[in-house]
Every structure is written in C-alpha cells, then in structure tokens.
Amino acid sequence: MDWINRLENIQNKIKFQLHAKKIDDLESLYRLIAEFDIDNSGKLEKDEFLKLLSKLGVFLTTQELRAVYDTYDTNRDEQISYAEFVQMIRTTISDKRLAVVKHAFQFLDRRGSGKLAIQDLVQQYRSEAHPRVRTRHKTAEQVKAQFVNAISKKSQDGQTINENEFLEYYADVNATLPKEKEEYFIDIILSTWGITSSVDYVSPERLSDLELILYEKIRQKTLPGEDEGRTVYRAFKYFDIAEKGVIDISQFKAALEKFGCVFDDKEIHALFSKFDVNRSGKICYDEFCGNFARLGSGNNPNFNPVFKLAREVPSPIINKLNADLKKQGPFAFRSLSKACQKADTFLNGSLSHDEFKWVIKEIGFSLTKTEFDNLFKFFDKNYEGKVIYSVFIDLVRGQQSEIITQGLSQGYDTLASANGGKVNVESIVQRYNPLAIQIIYPTRKIAQDLQREFVAEWGGNLQQQVNKNDFVEFFSDVRAFCDSESKFHQYFSNAFGL
C-alpha cells in the first residue's frame, strides 16, 4: 500500500473514533489534544501522541505510525505538530458532501447576494433536528451553542458568511466524520436547514443523473477514432469567444443545449457549481474535462470506455517504468529527464505525440500501441496533441516530500554561499563525496570512477553554470531511485558534508 492510501486509512480510523466519542467540532478535538500537550508547545512527543490515540481508541500498526511520523515529524525532533495533523483529517471531503454543502448555501442565499447574515443563519438553524439531538446524545441547546461559536469564527467581517466561509465551517464538521458516515453528514445539513427536494434543491443523486445524461450525449457526438474529451473541448472553445480558456454559466448553458441537454435552470446551476471548483463563476476546460473523465466507467454497454482509460492515471505503466529505471542505477532517472529535454524541439516544455514516442523508445521502455495511446492521452490534459513532460517526469519519479525539496534547496544555497553566490559543475564536483552513493547503491567501484560518472551526468563541462532549479531537479532524479527518503537524506548530507 502506498503512503497516500495509508494516510487516508489512518485519518479515517481517527475520524471514526472521533465520531464515536461524540466529538463533532474541531474545538473539542483541540481541547482533547491539549490535555496531552503538557508544555503547551503545539507539538506532541511520540509517547504523548500514542496516549492521545489510545484515549481515542485508535491503535495503529508500526508501519502506520511510521507513515504518520515521516509526514508530521517535519524536523525529525521526535515530535508531532498536531496542527498539521488536524489539518490532515480536515482537508479531505468527498464530492458528494461538497455538493450538498454548496446546495445548502444556494438554498439559503435566496437573493443570490453571495453572503448570508450570521444573525439570520442562527435563527434558521434547526438544532432540534440535528441527528445528535434526535438520538438524545446532545441537547438542542448544546448543538446550537457549538454552531453559533464555530460559524461566527469563520466570518471575516463578523456580520456575514460567504460561500467559502460556509464551506470552511462544514470542512470542520467533515473532519470528525469517517467516509462511512456519508449519509449522516448529508442528514445534518438537510435536517438542520430544513432542505427538502423542493424547487430550490438538486439532490446529489439527481446531479449524478445529469452528469450521466450529459456524458451519453457527448459520447453520441464523438467521432470514431476520437475521444469524448476532445468533443467537450471543441464545444467549450466554440462558445469561448474571448479565448480565455474558461466559460461562464450562460456559455455553459449554451454548450449543454448544443449537446441536446435541456435541463431546468436549477439543475444547470447545480451542475455548473460542481465543476466550478474554485468558485470563480467560471469553468476551466481542464477542470471540467478532468472531472468529467471519471464518469467513463466502461460498465454501461452504451458508454465508450476509451475515455476513462485515457483519463485515469495509468498506474501499471508508470509503476513498471519506475521499476525499470531503478534497475538501471541511481542516475537512470536522469536519462528520462535528458531524453525529454533533447526531444523538446521548441524548448517550450512540451512534447508532441511523435516526440513523446521517441522519448519512450530512447530510454528503452517497451509499450504496446494501446498502452502508449492511453499514456499519451492521460498527459495530454488540454487535448492539444502535446504533453507537458515535467508532469510526466514527476509522476514517474513518485511522491517527494516538501522536506526533501527544501533540503535540496538549502544544499544549493550552501554551495552558492561558499562560491560567491554562483554555482557551476566544478564547484559541485569539488564538494561532492562520490563514495556517499554507496549509502543508496551498493557498489565496488572506486572513488575516481564514481566521480567520473557523476561529472558525466552533468554533461562533462565543469564551467557550466547550475541554477537552483537544475540542482534540485538533478537530485530529485537521484531521490526517485531511493525507496527510503531517510536514506536519501543521509546520502545527500554525506555527499556534501551538510
């Protein structure tokens, strides 16, 4: 299991126990954590953190604890920053939950002003309908007091709540509810605001139906040999007269009509709102196509599954490429970066279909036509027949923590400081200890041979100037060879005597 999925499982375990302990807001969670923060430092030592988890009834395996420590013990001082830890369980919210929150705001904002008076919200909030009150776990007064306290703190002007602040409040509510409590979360919102399937509300189920209807209409208009993404892109571009790469609600409505979708105004606004991810009143082509791609499940015989295959992360291919490069040694990922740069004819950071195919062949990686097509379509985000190869390289390398990136940046600054603010290949080589590579790559080669290989990876020109980005990119390629970031950190520190 990769570290991201592991952290998601950990956060869900914690959310489950928070809900079981009737902790429904972040203030209650912080009060609980503070009981274990003896010195009020904002951090928990590892034994304090374990006691907190124990009180919650959360028991993690050694591997799970290591994943948490590696992520939140940022400076390796054996302490956990619990503000960051709380943020971890707060930030993830499902599309379904987010859709209901946005619908609730639209339901309450009847004038369309984009703001709600806190006083009006307090009056309209039906605490007696909250699931905790209905099950007699809390009184209506307790729930109302928690709501007033929390929603008031989200307001910047102390008088009103805008949509973003409304979403922030429910992000806090979401933080204490595991994924298994999806319907419970929805029940909280619909019940406390008195929302029913009225003229003001589009249910998440109906919203999903609208997406499927639109998907089918697009599929029907997609020509043989093309995918649905290009069809959507062309339609949006037709209505984007100013060529800004975005469309507003009126242009979106016109695009729907072009596809033969006749929806109610409330349904159009609900659909638009879902894809207006940054709440700008505009839909970006890439945002829409990226989200829309997930609808192509391939399970419905009327649906063309090619679109889904093209837009899902091609993990098996990426993982295979990563594994093949690791077999070739610590500088193998440099060959991928150099091949992309060499194929970049116009030096604009992108590769055409043929250039991308040349790169795959140049690094000795074998793909079937279908595998290559799916790989290219995934990275061709804007359906323009080209890929941004830095995105491709980053995905092949795998996740790199901010700690490692900062460490590489600081390493460059140290070299620059010692060399009058400038760094060239020669200054790097002079400082570099070639035997440090043995920490991540056992080898019997002598120092001179290892040094010669290191210089060759920089192109062999000792006087070549190296900027910070080039330096970080070089060692990010080396980091991709390592399965352990701690080992890489040890290698890099030893290599430059840091």
Side-chain angles (χ1 to χ4, degrees):
M1 180 184 294
D2 61 45
W3 70 275
I4 294 177
N5 290 331
R6 187 177 296 152
L7 283 176
E8 287 179 352
N9 288 336
I10 293 168
Q11 88 173 17
N12 202 59
K13 282 185 180 183
I14 294 170
K15 286 185 174 189
F16 192 91
Q17 290 303 122
L18 289 173
H19 179 67
K21 299 285 184 182
K22 303 179 182 62
I23 297 175
D24 298 325
D25 62 288
L26 290 190
E27 282 203 13
S28 298
L29 176 56
Y30 274 115
R31 282 197 298 270
L32 174 63
I33 294 174
E35 294 178 18
F36 299 90
D37 183 15
I38 308 300
D39 57 358
N40 295 317
S41 64
K43 293 185 177 182
L44 296 179
E45 295 187 4
K46 290 186 177 180
D47 61 333
E48 294 173 336
F49 182 69
L50 288 174
K51 289 177 182 177
L52 168 64
L53 293 181
S54 178
K55 183 163 183 176
L56 288 174
V58 177
F59 302 97
L60 303 181
T61 66
T62 301
Q63 286 185 328
E64 288 174 330
L65 284 170
R66 174 50 52 198
V68 173
Y69 295 153
D70 285 348
T71 304
Y72 296 103
D73 181 10
T74 54
N75 58 0
R76 302 295 185 267
D77 63 353
E78 302 295 306
Q79 292 184 322
I80 301 293
S81 170
Y82 58 74
E84 294 182 10
F85 185 75
V86 169
Q87 188 64 14
M88 176 189 78
I89 67 172
R90 182 184 181 275
T91 51
T92 55
I93 183 168
S94 71
D95 288 343
K96 189 173 183 179
R97 295 187 188 189
L98 183 60
V100 174
V101 176
K102 296 178 84 169
H103 283 311
F105 187 87
Q106 293 168 8
F107 174 81
L108 295 167
D109 185 23
R110 298 182 185 277
R111 297 179 180 177
S113 65
K115 289 187 176 183
L116 303 170
I118 294 178
Q119 184 177 359
D120 292 341
L121 286 176
V122 172
Q123 290 177 350
Q124 293 179 62
Y125 189 76
R126 303 171 62 213
S127 57
E128 70 279 3
H130 194 286
R132 288 290 194 199
V133 179
R134 299 202 311 262
T135 55
R136 299 184 180 181
H137 289 131
K138 290 183 178 180
T139 66
E141 291 73 19
Q142 287 174 320
V143 170
K144 189 67 164 280
Q146 287 178 348
F147 169 75
V148 173
N149 177 59
I151 198 72
S152 299
K153 290 180 178 178
K154 296 301 179 184
S155 172
Q156 289 188 354
D157 62 14
Q159 301 294 323
T160 61
I161 291 290
N162 61 33
E163 185 179 20
N164 186 61
E165 292 163 346
F166 192 75
L167 291 171
E168 284 291 310
Y169 166 75
Y170 279 104
D172 289 352
V173 176
N174 171 75
T176 61
L177 288 173
K179 59 185 179 183
E180 293 86 354
K181 292 293 181 179
E182 193 95 312
E183 296 306 318
Y184 182 93
F185 179 88
I186 294 171
D187 184 23
I188 290 175
I189 296 174
L190 300 187
S191 299
T192 55
W193 295 117
I195 300 173
T196 61
S197 297
S198 65
V199 294
D200 300 294
Y201 176 64
V202 178
S203 71
E205 291 75 18
R206 175 57 180 165
L207 193 59
S208 295
D209 289 342
L210 296 176
E211 292 178 64
L212 291 175
I213 292 169
L214 177 55
Y215 181 86
E216 176 62 9
K217 293 291 186 180
I218 292 170
R219 187 198 66 77
Q220 293 171 4
K221 292 183 178 293
T222 299
L223 300 173
E226 293 193 356
D227 62 42
E228 289 82 347
R230 288 185 183 276
T231 305
V232 177
Y233 187 83
R234 281 198 297 267
F236 278 9
K237 197 166 185 177
Y238 176 81
F239 291 104
D240 178 21
I241 299 174
E243 297 186 351
K244 294 182 178 180
V246 296
I247 58 174
D248 59 23
I249 185 70
S250 62
Q251 294 166 323
F252 181 69
K253 183 177 181 179
L256 292 181
E257 292 174 353
K258 182 180 177 67
F259 286 121
C261 296
V262 182
F263 300 147
D264 294 341
D265 282 346
K266 64 173 183 178
E267 294 176 332
I268 294 172
H269 278 83
L271 194 58
F272 183 88
S273 179
K274 175 173 181 178
F275 294 108
D276 180 16
V277 294
N278 59 1
R279 296 176 293 282
S280 64
K282 307 282 185 180
I283 290 181
C284 173
Y285 296 173
D286 192 40
E287 289 175 3
F288 185 84
C289 293
N291 282 282
F292 200 77
R294 301 201 234 330
L295 290 175
S297 66
N299 296 322
N300 188 325
N302 293 322
F303 286 1
N304 181 352
V306 174
F307 187 56
K308 172 178 181 282
L309 293 174
R311 302 303 294 161
E312 279 189 342
V313 178
S315 298
I317 301 173
I318 296 297
N319 293 340
K320 183 181 177 184
L321 178 52
N322 179 280
D324 280 6
L325 289 172
K326 284 181 177 179
K327 291 177 183 177
Q328 299 175 32
F331 298 116
F333 286 85
R334 290 296 302 155
S335 66
L336 174 61
S337 296
K338 288 189 286 189
C340 287
Q341 292 167 6
K342 186 175 180 180
D344 183 6
T345 306
F346 297 103
L347 303 178
N348 60 2
S350 65
L351 301 174
S352 68
H353 184 277
D354 290 341
E355 290 169 340
F356 191 62
K357 182 180 288 186
W358 180 88
V359 168
I360 298 299
K361 184 178 181 180
E362 177 70 7
I363 61 176
F365 193 57
S366 178
L367 291 176
T368 66
K369 183 181 184 302
T370 299
E371 287 175 330
F372 177 81
D373 287 344
N374 288 336
L375 187 67
F376 185 83
K377 286 178 181 178
F378 175 77
F379 290 104
D380 181 13
K381 296 291 186 183
N382 292 326
Y383 310 99
E384 296 176 335
K386 62 183 180 180
V387 301
I388 306 301
Y389 58 79
S390 61
V391 178
F392 170 62
I393 292 172
D394 285 344
L395 194 57
V396 174
R397 283 176 180 164
Q399 183 73 27
Q400 176 168 296
S401 73
E402 186 62 28
I403 298 170
I404 292 296
T405 303
Q406 289 176 358
L408 297 179
S409 179
Q410 291 169 2
Y412 180 89
D413 291 340
T414 300
L415 285 171
S417 177
N419 291 276
K422 294 184 178 180
V423 176
N424 59 15
V425 174
E426 184 176 22
S427 61
I428 295 173
V429 172
Q430 288 176 347
R431 184 75 177 262
Y432 183 76
N433 173 15
L435 293 177
I437 201 72
Q438 294 173 340
I439 296 173
I440 59 174
Y441 180 59
T443 177
R444 294 183 179 180
K445 293 180 180 180
I446 62 175
Q448 291 89 332
D449 290 339
L450 293 171
Q451 189 82 316
R452 191 178 305 111
E453 291 177 359
F454 181 73
V455 174
E457 290 299 329
W458 283 101
N461 180 5
L462 293 178
Q463 301 309 311
Q464 177 185 334
Q465 294 296 309
V466 179
N467 61 36
K468 182 181 287 189
N469 183 67
D470 292 338
F471 185 86
V472 171
E473 285 295 302
F474 182 98
F475 285 102
S476 291
D477 281 333
V478 179
R479 192 278 314 161
F481 172 78
C482 298
D483 291 323
S484 167
E485 287 203 342
S486 60
K487 272 194 174 183
F488 173 79
H489 176 73
Q490 185 181 357
Y491 150 73
F492 185 73
S493 298
N494 277 268
F496 290 100
L498 302 175

